[in-house]
Amino acid sequence: MYIYLNPQYVIRNEKHCSYIISKSALITTKLEYTMAFASVLPPCIGYILSHIGEGELNASIEKIANTLNVKSDIIEKFIRKIIDNPIKVGWNYKGVTISFPPYLLTSVKEESEGSVYTDDELFYTTDFIPKRPSIPLNLNFMITTKCGTDCMYCYADRNKRYDLTSRQIMKVIDEAHDIGVVNLALTGGDIFAFPDWKKLVRKVGLYGFKPLLSTKIPLKKDDVYFLKESGINFLQFSLDSVFPSTLQTMVHVKEDYIDNVRHMFEYCTDNGIKVTVRTVLTKYNSDSNEIDSLCAFLEGQLCVANWVLTPAFYSGYKNGYTDYRASDDALVHVYKMTKIKSSSVGFNILYNKMSDERYNLHSYKTVDEFVAENQICNANSYSMSILADGNTTACEMLYDNPHFIFGNVRQHTLRDLWNSDVALKMYSYTQQMIKRKENNACTKCKVYADCKLGVGKKVCYVDIAKVYGADRYEYPDPRCPQALRCEENLIL
């Protein structure tokens, strides 16, 4: 029997710590809901996963057992638990949660295999020290803040200038490849509003990166063909309505916009490019007529694989949020009516911050429940962002918040920026370092370490800054039951 590392995953081995991380591009269709997976591992486990597929299973186990000086039946028992396993499994090891994603090891060989990066072949002899990797494994590169639309709910700071040149961007992409970055996302604004976008897409394709490109600009036939030839098989397209009047109100586009979208979807179908459609719900497009019409339109597009519905989130760069926010009743209604449709349409209907109950910002009753259930953020643990002007930060939506700027790619390498004083300080920001203590429950919180320290942080610094101000990053996440109360009914 032979087994293989699933091509959806990468194993990275460093001194004292190994990592599993999933590739951002969908490679194995049955894994489309595990795309953001990342986990630390003891080095010995990293060694096993890196070498288990080098020969027939029993022979590989025997060779690994001899190298690690461990009984072969122990390794075999572990390996057989994760071969073709359809669910995430794991255990607690010395106070650290070790997780293994679905189908990490498979008995079926695919066209490609998972990748392994190893800094030092003797890494497995070191003690396990859970830590941040020595390089960013995910890199979000905001190519431009320019965009072909003007969305009423846009979260972006559109006033940025002094963008990097094409030559400077290409140099950073070269460096990302050379140091072993796993996932490189090209974002905006809108990447297709960047004059040399084709050069960038061609470059990342040559390096094997498969970024999920997102746009609201209906692409032309030649552009779609170029993407296909460059190895791009998936696109995300944002579409909020099929009615010109609604589109003009929400995103300020011309009358022929929806016709151009239809043509683009036809080109995608012809070229075998699958499309995820993302719809942002406001009070203008969340009634039955809007949703029924948009759903019917998408049903006629053979390239559509997923339809993601999300309420408009609060933006710090747009005024009048309460004027365009969809009501709680409308969001619940949209959820229920599309749930009914989900069994008959030819694509997946997915939801972000939507359910059959109204959205509640303070959804957790205790801090223990918050830490156990709130979403993990990988910013500055596995991920780093580059803004259009070259500044690097933990998350692109933090923009130029000075507390999170690591430096600029014009003057520093990616490795040095990732390991800068600012980045390391924010990664290990202890309770003793908190300066703003007034009405700040974090100063004495019993779960602070589980919440704000280590690789599995349970806070969103973007939302903290949006709600309480850029200088209050030390405060609790707005979803925490100990957070300051929001005066407005915000969706984050």
Side-chain angles (χ1 to χ4, degrees):
M1 177 182 180
Y2 288 83
I3 63 170
Y4 310 92
L5 179 60
N6 193 311
Q8 192 70 60
Y9 301 109
V10 172
I11 305 296
R12 181 172 180 85
N13 300 308
E14 297 184 2
K15 185 177 181 180
H16 298 303
C17 195
S18 294
Y19 309 87
I20 305 173
I21 188 162
S22 60
K23 296 178 182 178
S24 57
L26 180 62
I27 297 173
T28 304
T29 55
K30 60 188 176 184
L31 291 174
E32 61 185 304
Y33 303 118
T34 62
M35 305 296 287
F37 183 89
S39 180
V40 295
L41 301 171
C44 59
I45 300 296
Y47 183 85
I48 293 171
L49 296 175
S50 299
H51 292 275
I52 192 64
E54 292 180 349
E56 191 272 332
L57 179 58
N58 291 331
S60 295
I61 290 175
E62 192 67 30
K63 184 176 180 180
I64 292 169
N66 290 335
T67 301
L68 297 180
N69 195 24
V70 176
K71 291 183 179 179
S72 58
D73 59 333
I74 295 177
I75 295 176
E76 181 177 8
K77 183 179 179 181
F78 160 65
I79 288 298
R80 293 194 179 278
K81 281 185 177 181
I82 59 175
I83 297 175
D84 297 322
N85 181 42
I87 60 173
K88 183 175 77 171
V89 296
W91 68 83
N92 189 282
Y93 180 81
K94 295 183 178 180
V96 179
T97 300
I98 307 300
S99 298
F100 302 91
Y103 299 105
L104 175 62
L105 298 178
T106 68
S107 58
V108 179
K109 184 175 178 58
E110 301 196 33
E111 291 183 4
S112 59
E113 294 183 31
S115 303
V116 176
Y117 295 91
T118 300
D119 286 352
D120 180 356
E121 189 58 26
L122 294 178
F123 71 95
Y124 60 87
T125 63
T126 60
D127 293 333
F128 177 38
I129 302 176
K131 64 183 182 68
R132 184 175 179 263
S134 62
I135 63 165
L137 302 183
N138 298 326
L139 189 63
N140 300 306
F141 203 157
M142 181 184 289
I143 301 303
T144 180
T145 58
K146 296 175 183 175
C147 187
T149 60
D150 183 18
C151 303
M152 67 190 317
Y153 49 77
C154 182
Y155 70 79
D157 183 354
R158 301 281 291 277
N159 298 315
K160 296 296 179 186
R161 296 294 183 267
Y162 195 42
D163 287 0
L164 295 172
T165 65
S166 294
R167 184 184 297 272
Q168 290 169 323
I169 293 171
M170 300 281 261
K171 182 180 178 182
V172 174
I173 294 173
D174 288 337
E175 186 183 355
H177 169 262
D178 292 344
I179 67 173
V181 168
V182 175
N183 295 310
L184 175 62
L186 303 180
T187 66
D190 194 313
I191 183 176
F192 297 104
F194 186 73
D196 287 337
W197 67 265
K198 288 185 178 180
K199 290 183 180 179
L200 306 184
V201 171
R202 185 181 294 113
K203 167 72 81 170
V204 299
L206 290 174
Y207 281 147
F209 294 119
K210 292 184 178 295
L212 176 61
L213 304 178
S214 180
T215 184
K216 278 191 173 178
I217 300 174
L219 302 177
K220 297 179 180 179
K221 185 175 183 179
D222 290 346
D223 293 337
V224 175
Y225 178 76
F226 173 83
L227 292 176
K228 178 62 176 179
E229 290 298 296
S230 300
I232 301 297
N233 299 317
F234 297 91
L235 278 175
Q236 178 172 285
F237 191 86
S238 296
L239 182 63
D240 297 332
S241 177
V242 295
F243 297 118
S245 59
T246 305
L247 289 168
Q248 175 59 35
T249 299
M250 288 184 60
V251 297
H252 299 96
V253 292
K254 297 179 180 179
E255 287 280 335
D256 61 351
Y257 181 81
I258 194 64
D259 289 332
N260 292 332
V261 172
R262 183 182 289 106
H263 293 319
M264 173 192 161
F265 284 176
E266 291 172 357
Y267 306 147
C268 288
T269 298
D270 293 342
N271 286 278
I273 294 178
K274 292 296 184 181
V275 178
T276 290
V277 175
R278 186 174 186 268
T279 298
V280 178
L281 298 169
T282 69
K283 74 175 186 180
Y284 298 102
N285 67 334
S286 54
D287 61 44
S288 297
N289 186 40
E290 284 279 353
I291 298 301
D292 279 335
S293 300
L294 181 52
C295 186
F297 173 80
L298 297 179
E299 281 189 273
Q301 314 305 320
L302 299 180
C303 64
V304 175
N306 303 293
W307 184 23
V308 181
L309 294 161
T310 179
F313 294 170
Y314 171 69
S315 170
Y317 296 98
K318 290 287 185 176
N319 297 321
Y321 176 73
T322 54
D323 295 331
Y324 63 77
R325 183 201 192 279
S327 70
D328 293 319
D329 289 343
L331 293 174
V332 170
H333 176 67
V334 169
Y335 177 85
K336 290 181 176 179
M337 68 181 294
T338 52
K339 267 294 185 182
I340 295 173
K341 295 175 180 292
S342 63
S343 61
S344 59
V345 296
F347 45 82
N348 299 313
I349 301 181
L350 309 173
Y351 304 91
N352 184 22
K353 305 296 176 68
M354 293 177 62
S355 69
D356 57 0
E357 298 181 358
R358 70 182 298 273
Y359 176 83
N360 183 2
L361 181 57
H362 292 273
S363 55
Y364 303 103
K365 295 180 180 179
T366 67
V367 291
D368 294 285
E369 182 184 357
F370 170 77
V371 167
E373 302 294 335
N374 196 42
Q375 184 174 340
I376 292 175
C377 176
N378 288 329
N380 200 29
S381 292
Y382 300 107
S383 303
M384 183 171 74
S385 295
I386 306 173
L387 304 179
D389 62 2
N391 276 336
T392 57
T393 180
C395 173
E396 63 176 9
M397 289 191 288
L398 285 164
Y399 292 102
D400 56 359
N401 187 322
H403 303 290
F404 296 89
I405 296 295
F406 304 160
N408 196 288
V409 296
R410 301 175 199 263
Q411 292 87 34
H412 305 283
T413 67
L414 294 177
R415 187 185 294 272
D416 287 345
L417 290 163
W418 177 251
N419 294 290
S420 66
D421 290 343
V422 173
L424 297 179
K425 175 184 176 182
M426 293 313 305
Y427 176 75
S428 302
Y429 205 90
T430 64
Q431 279 177 305
Q432 291 72 30
M433 297 166 67
I434 295 175
K435 296 178 181 178
R436 300 196 62 160
K437 297 178 169 43
E438 184 180 3
N439 297 322
N440 186 351
C442 286
T443 58
K444 297 181 180 180
C445 183
K446 64 178 182 178
V447 298
Y448 182 92
D450 295 328
C451 181
K452 288 191 173 184
L453 298 178
V455 293
K457 290 179 174 59
K458 292 302 187 80
V459 297
C460 176
Y461 287 109
V462 173
D463 289 343
I464 295 171
K466 280 198 298 187
V467 175
Y468 306 122
D471 61 338
R472 289 197 167 191
Y473 59 92
E474 299 169 310
Y475 279 69
D477 184 290
R479 283 161 285 264
C480 174
Q482 298 297 317
L484 299 174
R485 290 289 167 179
C486 301
E487 295 182 3
E488 295 182 288
N489 185 16
L490 305 180
I491 298 178
L492 301 173

